[in-house]
Amino acid sequence: MTRVDLVDGAGRGGGDGERADRFLTGGLRGLRGLRGELWNAALLPLPPLGRPRRLRWAPHLVVLGITLATTVNNVDQLAQVYRLGYVLGWFLSLAQAAALLLALSRPAAAWWLSLGVNVFVAAAARIPSGHGVFTAAGTVPPDQGGEPWPWSPPSFIAHAAVTLLLALRLPARAAWAAYVLGVGVPFLLQQTIRPGPYDTTVPLSALVFGAVTLIGTLLRGRRETRSQLVRQTTLTAEERARRTLLEERSRIARELHDVVAHHMSVISIQAQVAPHLVKDPPDELRENLQGIRENALEALTELRRVLGVLRSEDPEDPDGAPQAPLPTLDRLDGLLDNARMAGLTVHGGFPAGGERRPLPPGVDLSAYRIVQEALSNAIRHAPGSTVRIALAHGGAGLRVRVTNTAARERVPPSPGAGHGLLGMRERAAMLGGDLAAGPLPDGGYEVSAFLPTNVSPTNGESQ
């Protein structure tokens, strides 16, 4: 034999050894998984029927009926036919009934209990002579016969029901393993024990237990397939709704960008250019135009952030959209200065010399937005009025109160009225607070809100 042949043979031998090792490892892993599935007492309740509604508990009632019928008949079978006595017969019959009822919630534990009870009965049974003998090893004349064994008829029916309930809820390999044990263990008893003249029930058990196991595994597979289809349909519908929402938000973002951003950019540029179109413009004009430009640029900054949120697939993800510094009450003075430049007389804020407590981000932002919207309403509906703002820390939150006097002249109705108040109420409700708004006796208007401070911080604007 050449060196090449030796090497080739060693290589083939090594490959066969590796395949054998893989086969053995896979087999051991499968046995461990089978043991975990069949040797456990996991809670797996039998679900009610989905349709029709009137019969949703019918399987449970059928199991209860089988339990009562088999228990009553099993007592006489065990006590008189198998000569176990009524005390032991009742005990074993009730244990079989308990296994059948337990199968409604813990099928694996119930199956082991049922098999254990019937193995004990088969091993302890003593069938009296007198009817001739019919065993697996011999035959008898047609007019003679023995008692059914190793399964008594009531126990046979009960264990078949337990096997079906197990196959309905355990994986197929566990159900078929239980079938093999349910047929194999009584067969071994039949080969080692002679209780007296008997008719073997092993072939019938192989047929019936196999049928109920097949039915149970098929029904379980059908239920799992239907559940997977429902889950897939739900995921598809959710994905479709999510895609539609993203498309609509993208459309809104495009509209906002094309319309609002364009006009705000034009306002900013015009405010920047306007002082150069007038010879020696007064300082007041320069300041007003500079304020217009700064407000336009600030609005563009916030608009870009809102557009980023709209275009983001997950608006709640802080990394999913560009984040800009959100306005807080620290910028209240700048907001009041802008309102004064618009013609309002504004007073108030936090009490002078009072203690300024730190606020949760959501409360800080919402308070700023409420004041901002109240000032915008005063500019739009009561130009030239006097506005008073009061901010005060209460025991469990922040109180915000904004009032304005009546308008000095008649103001034409403004389109979109009411949406600002709705937004303010939603902000307050989101934080667990409340907001009230309404006219005053002197013709002015009041907005009053209470924002609790014992709320979890919020990330970004919600409105």
Side-chain angles (χ1 to χ4, degrees), residues 314-395:
D314 186 5
E316 296 181 359
D317 182 6
D319 299 326
Q323 298 292 310
L326 295 173
T328 63
L329 292 178
D330 292 334
R331 297 168 56 182
L332 183 62
D333 292 339
L335 181 63
L336 301 186
D337 291 339
N338 290 337
R340 294 185 182 102
M341 292 176 62
L344 296 179
T345 302
V346 184
H347 304 284
F350 282 103
E355 180 184 1
R356 176 77 182 276
R357 302 178 190 172
L359 297 172
V363 174
D364 212 351
L365 171 63
S366 296
Y368 179 90
R369 291 302 190 197
I370 290 173
V371 174
Q372 184 183 46
E373 182 61 30
L375 290 174
S376 297
N377 288 339
I379 294 172
R380 188 162 53 245
H381 301 292
S385 62
T386 299
V387 180
R388 299 187 181 278
I389 301 172
L391 301 173
H393 293 286

Side-chain angles (χ1 to χ4, degrees), residues 21-379:
D21 290 341
R22 287 197 297 269
F23 179 78
L24 180 60
T25 302
L28 292 175
R29 187 182 299 111
L31 288 176
R32 284 195 296 268
L34 181 61
R35 183 186 63 180
E37 293 168 352
L38 195 57
W39 187 259
N40 71 78
L43 181 63
L44 298 170
L46 181 69
L49 292 176
R51 292 178 300 180
R53 298 285 295 178
R54 293 181 179 180
L55 301 178
R56 62 194 313 258
W57 298 107
H60 299 74
L61 295 177
V62 170
V63 172
L64 180 60
I66 294 175
T67 303
L68 294 175
T70 55
T71 301
V72 172
N73 288 278
N74 214 17
V75 173
D76 291 335
Q77 179 74 24
L78 302 185
Q80 297 183 3
V81 178
Y82 287 172
R83 294 294 190 266
L84 297 180
Y86 275 100
V87 175
L88 187 56
W90 268 108
F91 176 78
L92 294 173
S93 298
L94 292 176
Q96 179 67 65
L100 192 50
L101 294 177
L102 182 63
L104 291 173
S105 58
R106 302 180 187 273
W111 184 88
W112 284 109
L113 176 60
S114 177
L115 181 64
V117 168
N118 284 284
V119 167
F120 180 84
V121 169
R126 294 293 178 267
I127 302 174
S129 302
H131 300 287
V133 178
F134 178 74
T135 68
T139 59
V140 294
D143 58 342
Q144 296 180 351
E147 295 296 335
W149 184 88
W151 294 98
S152 68
S155 297
F156 178 84
I157 296 173
H159 192 75
V162 172
T163 302
L164 176 61
L165 293 173
L166 178 136
L168 285 172
R169 281 166 293 167
L170 262 62
R173 65 175 183 178
W176 287 110
Y179 163 74
V180 171
L181 290 174
V183 175
V185 172
F187 177 76
L188 293 177
L189 288 175
Q190 181 178 277
Q191 305 305 313
T192 56
I193 298 176
R194 290 294 181 265
Y198 69 92
D199 286 333
T200 179
T201 55
V202 171
L204 182 61
S205 68
L207 179 63
V208 175
F209 293 171
V212 297
T213 301
L214 179 62
I215 293 172
T217 53
L218 290 177
L219 290 177
R220 182 178 185 272
R222 178 173 175 267
R223 185 177 67 248
E224 288 185 343
T225 302
R226 180 180 297 177
S227 299
Q228 291 176 359
L229 181 60
V230 170
R231 285 195 298 268
Q232 186 63 37
T233 303
T234 302
L235 290 175
T236 302
E238 291 177 353
E239 181 63 26
R240 188 183 301 112
R242 181 171 172 270
R243 189 181 302 113
T244 302
L245 177 62
L246 289 175
E247 291 175 354
E248 181 65 17
R249 282 164 46 187
S250 296
R251 186 187 66 81
I252 294 173
R254 287 195 301 270
E255 293 293 332
L256 283 173
H257 180 271
D258 293 343
V259 178
V260 181
H262 168 73
H263 290 293
M264 295 304 296
S265 298
V266 171
I267 291 172
S268 175
I269 294 173
Q270 288 178 340
Q272 184 179 10
V273 173
H276 303 285
L277 301 178
V278 181
K279 186 178 180 179
D280 298 328
D283 294 338
E284 292 80 1
L285 177 61
R286 289 182 180 273
E287 291 177 1
N288 279 278
L289 291 175
Q290 181 64 24
I292 293 173
R293 173 174 168 75
E294 291 176 355
N295 287 331
L297 293 176
E298 183 176 355
L300 280 173
T301 301
E302 294 200 19
L303 178 62
R304 290 190 186 97
R305 181 181 55 78
V306 174
L307 294 180
V309 173
L310 285 174
R311 290 187 174 121
S312 173
E313 293 188 4
D314 186 5
E316 296 181 359
D317 182 6
D319 299 326
Q323 298 292 310
L326 295 173
T328 63
L329 292 178
D330 292 334
R331 297 168 56 182
L332 183 62
D333 292 339
L335 181 63
L336 301 186
D337 291 339
N338 290 337
R340 294 185 182 102
M341 292 176 62
L344 296 179
T345 302
V346 184
H347 304 284
F350 282 103
E355 180 184 1
R356 176 77 182 276
R357 302 178 190 172
L359 297 172
V363 174
D364 212 351
L365 171 63
S366 296
Y368 179 90
R369 291 302 190 197
I370 290 173
V371 174
Q372 184 183 46
E373 182 61 30
L375 290 174
S376 297
N377 288 339
I379 294 172

